[in-house]
Structures are given as C-alpha cells and as structure tokens.
Amino acid sequence: MPEATSAESDIALRTGGRARRPNSVGLRRLNILVGALSLPLFIGLWELVSRSGTVNMVLFPPPTVVAAAVLEWIRSGQFFSDLLASLFRVTTGFIVGGALGILLGILTGQFPVISSLLSPLFHILRPIPPIAFVPIVILWFGLSEAGKLFLVVWGVFFTVWLSTHIGVQKVDRGLIRAALMLGTPRRQMLQEIVLLGALPYIVVGLRTAVSISFYTLVAAELAGAFAGIVYRIEIAQQNLQTGQVMGGLAALGLISFIADRLFAALAERIVWWR
Amino acid sequence: MKLALASSPASDESARKQPAIQVSNLSIVFDTKGGQVIAVDRVSFDVAPGEFVCIAGPSGCGKSTVLNTIAGLEVPFEGEILVEGAPVYSPRPDVGMVFQQPHLFPWKSVRRNIAHGPRMLGKSTTEAYAIADDLIAMVGLKRFADAYPNTLSGGMQQRVAIARALANQPRVLLMDEPFGALDAQTRTVMQDNLLALRDRIKATIVFVTHDIDEAIVLADRVLIMSAGPGRILREVAVKLPRPRSSSVLVEPAYHSLKKDCLDVIRAEGLRAFNQSDAN
C-alpha cells in the first residue's frame, strides 16, 4: 500500500524529472532505434525459444499461438463482454471509492474532531491487503457484482482518502493567511483555497488508485465471476489453454497501461496551473 | 519646494486626527517546549494617518509578530490595538498585508489573484477585473495579466502581491519584509516602485525590515526594536525630502541618520552580548 511519503515523492518526481540531456543527436537516434527494436526482438526470441523444442510448447506457447488465441477470443465475441464486465467493475469501483475517499479526506483533513473519530479506524483497516477480504466478501455478497465492487471500492478508497487527507493538511498556511487578509470568509476557505491547494495531492492519490483498482479487480474476479478478463484467464488455465492465459495477461496489462496514461493526461488538465 | 514636502503629513495631521494605528502595552507570550517566551514586551506606538513607519530590528525581535497582531492574525495578546479607532481581533478588509513570501494563489492568473479580494467583498467579476487591471498597470505588469505566478520572477510576484493587497483599498497596509527574499538589485527597484506607489495611494504603511538602509529610504519614522524580549529601543524620525528614491543613500543627511540608528543597535548588541556573557 502506498504511504504518505510515496504520494509526496511522486509530486517531487513529477516536477523535477525532465532534465535529461543526450550527448549528441547520433546517440539519441541510436536510442530511438534500439527502443523501436526492443519489443520485436523480445517477441522473436520468445518465438524461437518456444519452437526450439527445449521447452514444453503447451505450457510455453510461442507468440503466434498467443495471437491466434486472442483473435479467436475476439471473434467469439467473448472478448468484448469480458472487457465490458471488467471495465465496468474497475470504473464504477474507482469512481465510488475515489468520491468517498475525497469526501472523507476533506472532512478528516479539515475537521480535527472527524479526524479523531475516523483516522484511527482507517489507519487500522488501510494496511490490510484488499485481497484478504475475498473470503469474507464471498460470505457477505456471494458471487454477486456487489462483492466485486466492494473489493475495488475498498482498495481505491484508502489510497484516495489518505492522499486527500494529507493534501488538505498540507495546504500552504501562507495562502490561507493571505486569503484571510483579503477578506475571504472562513466558510468559503474550503472552496476558494483548500480544495485547490490539496488538488495536486488528490490527483496523485487518484493516479495510484488507478493501478490499485486493477489489482483489486484480479482478486474480485478470481473470487468467482461469470465474465471478465481475469475470469477468462482462470477458465483458460483450467482448460490448459496457455495461449489464452497469456493473451489475457497481455490484454490486462494493455488496458491498465492505457488507463494510467489516460489518467496522467487528464491529471495535467486538472492541475492546470503547473 | 522639496523642503516643504519634507515635513511629512504625519507631523501636521497627527495632532488633529486620531492615529490610524494605536498600539498600547502590547505583550505577546509564546508557549514553547522550554517554557514561556516573551516575544514582545509592552510595546506601544502610534502611527498617524498616511504615515510610513518602518519597524527595524534583528531577526527574532518580534517585529513580524507585532505586525501579524495588528493584522489580526496573531491571537491572543495582551494590551490594546486600535486600527482606525476600532479594536483588532481578526483580519479585516481595511487592513492589507504583504508577506515576505508572495503567497500568490498558484491556480489563479495575475488578474484573478488581484481580483480575489474585491470578489470576496461582493464585487462582481467585471468590477473586480477592472480594479485588477488598474493595479496591474500601476505595478507595470500589463503584459503578464494572464500569466500564472509560477512563470513570474520573484520581484514580479511580489509586485502582484502588493497589487493584490491594494485591491481592497485598505486604509492600512502592513508589509512584512516584503523584499527580504529578493536580490539586492531587485530590492532597490522594488523600494523605488513602492515609494512611487505610495505617493498615489493614501494608505498608512507599517513596514517591517531588518535592513536599516531600507528602513531609512522608505520611512517617515523608524522604530528600532531589540530582541529577547522584543522592545522598542528608539524612534528615529526620517526628515529626508519626498518624493524620495533609493538615491538618498548617498546624501549626507542619510549618513547621520544611519549613524544614529547604528549607535542604538550597537549599544543594544553590546548590552545583550555582555548579558549573555554574564550568564
């Protein structure tokens, strides 16, 4: 689970990370070329090793077999229903967990009484890995969608709550004093200063929560589902369709990557003054 | 002509009008781990309407604390503070403040930063922007009206902070070492800007600095404070002609003033040194 410090260092990394200077144009071109060759080289090597006979092709199928399995997955129409089921869980869980996290983070960050009431509880629950809740979630919710949402919401909530809480507390006191001197009423301080001051922290928390929502999705779908990317991986594993398993992993990685990049692009717009 | 201006409005009007600021027997005690520390010890002074007073002293002498108390940001305190005749308990829009750091709202453009105060006081956005644009012109930042604070230099940011504090047309402007974080060259330019600006606004100004030169260049009167506990050692009236600029630094009258101030500071420094030696 990410700690307070990881949210902070994330911010520091974002502001100071783009100062790489290539020695020369030639070296930069070489790097681009090597970068472009990276994936084809890796896939080619994989294909060769798989077909060389030194490994079991059923357990370690070559990329061509994986590709064929993925094509079949798409052609059967199951891919899109699996994708939709997984995306629905991740998105709904992320939105609900994120909204709850932001709301409670503002409350505990802003009002010491609420913080005294809730923070001890949250700090005890937060370190428990969400996967550990699978058994009790099955008891409570059976194999229903509610149980899966619960797991994703649970995972997202604590990360977003903590980063919001810290963000609200770390709002520059100088800005608040300046706002007070300019006649900002205390009851308007939240909307005028605190929310925007905490926004960079909230956004970092939300971005961490994007990957956490995929991570909890795995637990949620392994706990028993009727559709979903991870569900399909599990079914394929039971049928010894290793190509399909690998295709599922690749799909999961790709979706998670796209989600992270989309959120990063969105974050730049949310924190517009940076 | 210059001599006529030299008698500041303070000395004539203070007899008739009530002071803009009255500080009487102000004491402030801080609770620290090592026990109670008297930060400010029975400080009393008046500031006449329109007067420019500098509070000068070493770091830790409580000069910023005094200023924050006048601003209504420092409670509790002992003694009485009246601004325009009314006691101060909390920040009020007729008292403006410029801090050592600009503390600009990073998510607002220069115009919207300056318009913040008027908007909070119930002005429409159009009115607030009109006020902001006037002040932007006054501090010479027309090209940067739509820029965000992180794209401005330190001096420019502090000019925005001054404009923002002036947007509510405060009767009293408090300035807490506003040029302390700037390089020497920018600081001189900012002092000249402030002197020019001061001739256009009617505000009473209390300016805190640890720089005696800065105090003499700017002020009608310098209050010299000592540290531990913070007390006012001496008042020095600065009868240098106005309009003034940082070039007064080379005038003979300036040198005798600075000698007066330094003598007080040196005597106090020696006393404090001997005292700590005796302990």
Side-chain angles (χ1 to χ4, degrees):
Chain A
M1 281 305 243
E3 292 294 330
T5 45
S6 91
E8 280 161 49
S9 64
D10 239 6
I11 289 175
L13 279 175
R14 281 195 50 200
T15 50
R18 265 179 222 162
R20 222 177 295 144
R21 195 178 305 154
N23 294 347
S24 67
V25 179
L27 193 63
R28 189 163 51 194
R29 280 188 187 149
L30 181 71
N31 279 336
I32 291 171
L33 186 72
V34 172
L37 284 176
S38 160
L39 271 181
L41 263 174
F42 172 73
I43 291 172
L45 198 67
W46 173 7
E47 183 81 32
L48 280 176
V49 171
S50 283
R51 292 195 183 278
S52 67
T54 51
V55 292
N56 184 339
M57 249 183 82
V58 175
L59 295 181
F60 197 64
T64 42
V65 174
V66 175
V70 170
L71 278 178
E72 179 51 36
W73 188 15
I74 293 171
R75 201 174 300 147
S76 70
Q78 277 176 334
F79 176 75
F80 288 102
S81 55
D82 286 339
L83 183 69
L84 277 179
S86 289
L87 281 184
F88 172 79
R89 287 168 193 142
V90 163
T91 328
T92 318
F94 180 80
I95 290 171
V96 173
L100 281 175
I102 292 173
L103 184 72
L104 282 158
I106 290 168
L107 289 177
T108 59
Q110 186 81 340
F111 305 105
V113 184
I114 302 182
S115 180
S116 302
L117 182 70
L118 296 178
S119 294
L121 178 71
F122 288 172
H123 279 300
I124 287 173
L125 294 177
R126 194 173 62 86
I128 307 174
I131 300 176
F133 283 87
V134 167
I136 202 162
V137 162
I138 292 177
L139 281 182
W140 284 345
F141 299 98
L143 300 183
S144 68
E145 278 306 302
K148 285 154 196 59
L149 284 181
F150 176 88
L151 281 172
V152 179
V153 168
W154 188 270
V156 168
F157 169 77
F158 287 105
T159 306
V160 177
W161 165 71
L162 188 64
S163 58
T164 308
H165 177 85
I166 291 170
V168 167
Q169 298 221 307
K170 289 231 164 171
V171 171
D172 185 355
R173 308 308 299 168
L175 291 184
I176 293 184
R177 286 155 76 91
L180 280 174
M181 290 311 296
L182 293 169
T184 315
R186 283 196 183 267
R187 66 193 142 73
Q188 256 167 277
M189 203 56 81
L190 186 69
Q191 71 191 68
E192 289 290 338
I193 310 296
V194 177
L195 276 185
L196 288 160
L199 199 54
Y201 285 85
I202 299 176
V203 167
V204 168
L206 285 173
R207 189 166 173 197
T208 317
V210 170
S211 35
I212 288 179
S213 62
F214 278 94
Y215 155 78
T216 41
L217 173 79
V218 175
E221 290 192 2
L222 285 179
F226 305 103
I229 305 270
V230 184
Y231 161 79
R232 194 62 55 197
I233 292 174
E234 203 192 4
I235 296 294
Q237 177 246 337
Q238 284 164 11
N239 297 336
L240 215 62
Q241 295 166 308
T242 323
Q244 167 95 66
V245 171
M246 288 181 167
L249 289 176
L252 196 63
L254 193 65
I255 298 164
S256 177
F257 174 77
I258 292 172
D260 182 64
R261 280 306 144 109
L262 279 179
F263 194 85
L266 189 68
E268 298 235 319
R269 284 161 191 267
I270 298 174
V271 189
W272 71 87
W273 59 91
R274 289 207 167 197
Chain B
M1 188 58 202
K2 274 199 166 182
L3 278 176
L5 278 164
S7 66
S8 73
S11 46
D12 310 333
E13 290 175 26
S14 56
R16 283 180 270 125
K17 283 188 186 173
Q18 70 166 354
I21 302 170
Q22 286 171 280
V23 176
S24 354
N25 274 315
L26 174 68
S27 294
I28 295 163
V29 178
F30 288 136
D31 287 317
T32 64
K33 279 174 196 159
Q36 293 196 319
V37 173
I38 302 172
V40 177
D41 186 22
R42 283 161 293 162
V43 163
S44 300
F45 63 92
D46 287 359
V47 183
E51 194 183 12
F52 196 139
V53 168
C54 278
I55 304 179
S59 3
C61 75
K63 54 194 192 299
S64 293
T65 311
V66 170
L67 203 70
N68 284 335
T69 317
I70 300 172
L73 290 170
E74 196 81 59
V75 277
F77 58 87
E78 277 172 47
E80 190 178 41
I81 297 178
L82 301 175
V83 173
E84 304 281 332
V88 171
Y89 301 110
S90 57
R92 10 190 290 202
D94 62 337
V95 178
M97 179 112 172
V98 180
F99 302 88
Q100 181 167 10
Q101 300 300 323
H103 291 319
L104 301 178
F105 307 127
W107 49 83
K108 290 189 176 198
S109 65
V110 166
R111 180 183 289 117
R112 293 186 55 223
N113 257 286
I114 300 172
H116 179 88
R119 260 193 52 236
M120 288 297 115
L121 297 189
K123 294 246 183 349
S124 74
T125 311
T126 326
E127 282 175 293
Y129 281 3
I131 293 170
D133 284 338
D134 281 351
L135 284 162
I136 288 169
M138 207 191 274
V139 295
L141 288 174
K142 267 187 173 169
R143 275 177 52 218
F144 299 94
D146 295 310
Y148 282 89
N150 66 350
T151 64
L152 304 180
S153 71
M156 284 153 85
Q157 290 189 20
Q158 205 53 290
R159 269 142 79 189
V160 178
I162 293 171
R164 185 176 66 170
L166 292 175
N168 282 345
Q169 293 185 294
R171 307 288 294 268
V172 170
L173 182 62
L174 307 173
M175 306 182 86
D176 186 5
E177 299 199 46
F179 310 147
L182 305 176
D183 61 82
Q185 209 177 340
T186 312
R187 188 155 59 227
T188 310
V189 174
M190 294 293 287
Q191 287 164 0
D192 287 341
N193 281 343
L194 179 62
L195 284 169
L197 204 61
R198 194 251 169 161
D199 293 335
R200 300 176 61 174
I201 57 169
K202 307 275 184 301
T204 306
I205 300 178
V206 181
F207 187 108
V208 160
T209 179
H210 60 260
D211 180 350
I212 292 291
D213 287 324
E214 183 168 69
I216 299 173
V217 166
L218 296 173
D220 297 315
R221 193 152 53 99
V222 180
L223 307 178
I224 299 173
M225 280 186 75
S226 71
R231 285 201 188 102
I232 292 181
L233 287 177
R234 180 77 62 87
E235 273 186 45
V236 179
V238 182
K239 293 257 161 67
L240 295 170
R242 286 192 193 272
R244 215 188 271 169
S245 79
S246 51
S247 55
V248 297
L249 285 170
V250 294
E251 287 182 18
Y254 167 82
H255 287 285
S256 69
L257 275 170
K258 183 165 182 183
K259 187 178 179 306
D260 287 353
C261 295
L262 287 178
D263 284 347
V264 176
I265 291 166
R266 192 172 298 121
E268 170 60 18
L270 211 59
R271 189 193 61 78
F273 182 82
N274 289 336
Q275 206 174 37
S276 66
D277 215 30
N279 292 342

